[in-house]
Amino acid sequence: MDKMNCPPDFRCPISMEIMKDPVTIVTGVSYERKNIEKWFFVYNKKTCPTTMQCVESFDMTPNHTLKRLILAWKETLVAPSSTSSSMPQPLIKHDEMVSLFTALESSPFKVSSMKKIRAIVELGDETKSDFIRSGGVEAVVGMLINQFDNSDFVSFQACEEALGILHLLPLSKQDEKSFQLISKPDPMRSIAIILQRGSAEARFYAITIFRKIAKTGFNWNSLIEDQGIDLFKSLLELVYDGICNKASSYALEILFEILSSSKKSRLKAIEAGAICILIELLPDSNRSKSEKMLLLIKLLCESPEGRMAMVDHSLGIPVISKTLLQVSNLATKLGVKILWQVCNFHPTERVLEEMLMHGAVKKMVTLLHLEGRLSSTKKKVLEMLKMHCNSWKRHQCFPCDLKDYLGVK
């Protein structure tokens, strides 16, 4: 059925859907019965949704004439006249989309309107571009900010639907206007809160938007100052949940963008439990995620607090030791850097013993024999072996030939 060519009077003013059971209220306006009943008896409204006139009677009269006209119109669609002409589909979509987000601010049915806008935007690149050109981003972002002032569930749901639209957009610096609108403090704050409290689907929309923004070199400092440790908790929760691999991977990428650009942010991430979560997830992660997690751990271990968290975790040294020569060349390189950071600043007896007992020392010896491989890493390996060989040489598993190589007696 060609809903897009439907006469406007056949649509319910509330849902914008073709009516099946039209009824007329005292103001003379017709609505789909279930929609106007919901307006009056669920939302407890005492006005006409179209005219906003106060109504004293909630009586509804079936509009049989309108119903017959709608049915007759539907029948003409079964065998349309060959001479009939229709407007180009993109133009029809444009008109509907513009009417939807033009009335967005005043509409009491924002969730329904958002879903309709999203359905149009999802049709393809042409409708996305039309949405941006026609001021859709301004309308949706404006609604997102305004609705966050309300604390009711429906308003929050409308904000989630807004992210459902925005996550479909490119949000690159090529589309500078859209990027500037969304990357302002108020929209970013709203997105961060949905990342913390939203549904699983809405959290995916939020993390997708953040990932696109992160690729532009966005400065996260103001958002971190506003949200503090809660931002890192929500990102780490996505990583830890593992329900959606894509969302988890995106969260790791955003954490890297934030942590690599700001040393202060690393302290908040450590406070949020980043080291603990990453260490616990690392053994069961695939190659790509393992490399991302090791990269984050390396960044965090550049600070004293990060190294201390690493050392204090009972699985810290064992897990990093296991990654050497097992996951990938990059993982081995990162693992060596992490152990080097720990050995340089926290060479406690327990740390050195764990490195020996869990195979890190043995694997480092193997690395020395892999000629031409990981040459930049071999230097750190040699430094660690020379620095701590006096502690390790007492153990039987310390290779004798390595003693000669290092000149240790």
Side-chain angles (χ1 to χ4, degrees):
M1 184 181 299
D2 191 356
K3 292 185 179 181
M4 302 312 300
N5 284 331
C6 168
D9 290 338
F10 291 179
R11 295 180 182 275
C12 172
I14 294 174
S15 67
M16 299 305 294
E17 296 288 340
I18 299 169
M19 290 183 275
K20 297 178 181 178
D21 185 13
V23 294
T24 304
I25 63 172
V26 292
T27 58
V29 182
S30 294
Y31 299 92
E32 178 67 30
R33 181 186 294 275
K34 66 178 182 180
N35 293 333
I36 194 62
E37 286 179 345
K38 190 174 184 180
W39 173 264
F40 285 145
F41 307 125
V42 176
Y43 294 117
N44 295 318
K45 302 289 186 179
K46 297 181 180 179
T47 56
C48 170
T50 301
T51 66
M52 298 310 291
Q53 291 176 263
C54 291
V55 295
E56 296 180 359
S57 171
F58 298 141
D59 291 343
M60 302 175 198
T61 304
N63 192 333
H64 297 299
T65 301
L66 180 56
K67 187 173 183 178
R68 283 196 295 270
L69 288 171
I70 292 172
L71 291 173
W73 172 76
K74 287 181 177 179
E75 288 176 3
T76 64
L77 296 178
V78 176
S81 170
S82 59
T83 60
S84 65
S85 61
S86 61
M87 295 172 64
Q89 197 73 353
L91 181 58
I92 298 169
K93 295 291 186 185
H94 167 84
D95 291 342
E96 183 186 15
M97 182 169 60
V98 171
S99 66
L100 281 167
F101 60 67
T102 300
L104 198 55
E105 186 176 348
S106 60
S107 172
F109 299 98
K110 290 180 173 58
V111 173
S112 177
S113 297
M114 287 289 185
K115 288 182 177 178
K116 288 181 175 63
I117 294 172
R118 179 179 173 183
I120 296 172
V121 173
E122 284 179 328
L123 291 175
D125 292 339
E126 187 177 349
T127 52
K128 286 178 188 175
S129 299
D130 187 32
F131 172 80
I132 294 169
R133 285 195 305 269
S134 304
V137 179
E138 291 94 325
V140 172
V141 170
M143 195 282 310
L144 175 67
I145 297 169
N146 293 334
Q147 288 300 297
F148 251 90
D149 294 333
N150 302 325
S151 58
D152 60 287
F153 171 75
V154 175
S155 295
F156 193 80
Q157 192 178 10
C159 293
E160 291 186 331
E161 290 296 336
L163 297 199
I165 297 170
L166 297 176
H167 94 285
L168 298 170
L169 307 180
L171 302 183
S172 62
K173 285 201 170 178
Q174 282 69 38
D175 178 23
E176 189 172 351
K177 187 177 180 181
S178 297
F179 170 76
Q180 291 294 339
L181 282 167
I182 296 172
S183 62
K184 287 180 179 179
D186 285 342
M188 290 295 283
R189 175 180 172 272
S190 301
I191 297 168
I193 292 173
I194 290 176
L195 186 66
Q196 297 163 30
R197 307 177 194 167
S199 64
E201 193 174 22
R203 289 166 70 203
F204 178 73
Y205 300 153
I207 201 69
T208 302
I209 293 170
F210 273 174
R211 179 177 181 254
K212 290 179 179 181
I213 289 175
K215 289 185 174 182
T216 65
F218 177 75
N219 188 329
W220 297 89
N221 289 339
S222 61
L223 185 64
I224 294 169
E225 287 178 13
D226 179 63
Q227 295 298 304
I229 193 174
D230 289 337
L231 176 64
F232 292 99
K233 284 182 177 178
S234 60
L235 290 169
L236 290 167
E237 188 177 342
L238 272 182
V239 174
Y240 190 78
D241 280 349
I243 298 172
C244 175
N245 286 330
K246 189 176 285 188
S248 177
S249 181
Y250 288 176
L252 288 170
E253 290 177 25
I254 293 166
L255 281 167
F256 173 73
E257 292 294 334
I258 295 173
L259 299 181
S260 60
S261 62
S262 168
K263 291 185 177 181
K264 286 184 179 179
S265 65
R266 299 176 193 179
L267 299 178
K268 293 186 186 296
I270 293 164
E271 187 182 350
I275 290 286
C276 180
I277 289 171
L278 295 171
I279 287 296
E280 290 178 7
L281 293 176
L282 193 54
D284 298 320
S285 299
N286 59 28
R287 172 178 171 172
S288 176
K289 278 192 177 180
S290 293
E291 291 173 349
K292 290 175 183 176
M293 290 178 184
L294 286 165
L295 193 55
L296 290 174
I297 294 171
K298 182 192 79 71
L299 285 173
L300 295 172
C301 283
E302 289 176 3
S303 69
E305 294 83 359
R307 292 190 292 270
M308 187 59 68
M310 175 74 185
V311 170
D312 288 344
H313 198 296
S314 61
L315 294 177
I317 300 299
V319 166
I320 300 300
S321 299
K322 188 178 180 181
T323 62
L324 301 182
L325 297 174
Q326 182 169 316
V327 179
S328 67
N329 289 350
L330 177 58
T332 297
K333 184 176 181 179
L334 292 169
V336 167
K337 286 183 178 179
I338 294 167
L339 293 175
W340 181 82
Q341 288 169 333
V342 172
C343 282
N344 264 5
F345 297 98
H346 295 279
T348 63
E349 187 176 343
R350 182 177 70 84
V351 167
L352 297 176
E353 185 174 339
E354 284 185 350
M355 286 181 65
L356 191 66
M357 300 306 293
H358 292 282
V361 175
K362 184 177 180 180
K363 290 181 179 180
M364 288 194 295
V365 172
T366 303
L367 277 171
L368 292 178
H369 297 296
L370 296 176
E371 187 176 351
R373 186 180 180 189
L374 299 173
S375 58
S376 62
T377 304
K378 286 182 180 180
K379 184 178 178 180
K380 286 186 171 58
V381 169
L382 276 171
E383 286 180 15
M384 284 188 281
L385 290 172
K386 288 180 178 179
M387 191 182 304
H388 303 296
C389 62
N390 288 328
S391 298
W392 290 327
K393 70 180 183 179
R394 299 193 300 264
H395 296 268
Q396 292 182 351
C397 55
F398 192 78
C400 293
D401 57 342
L402 187 61
K403 293 179 182 179
D404 297 332
Y405 181 82
L406 296 173
V408 176
K409 295 182 180 180

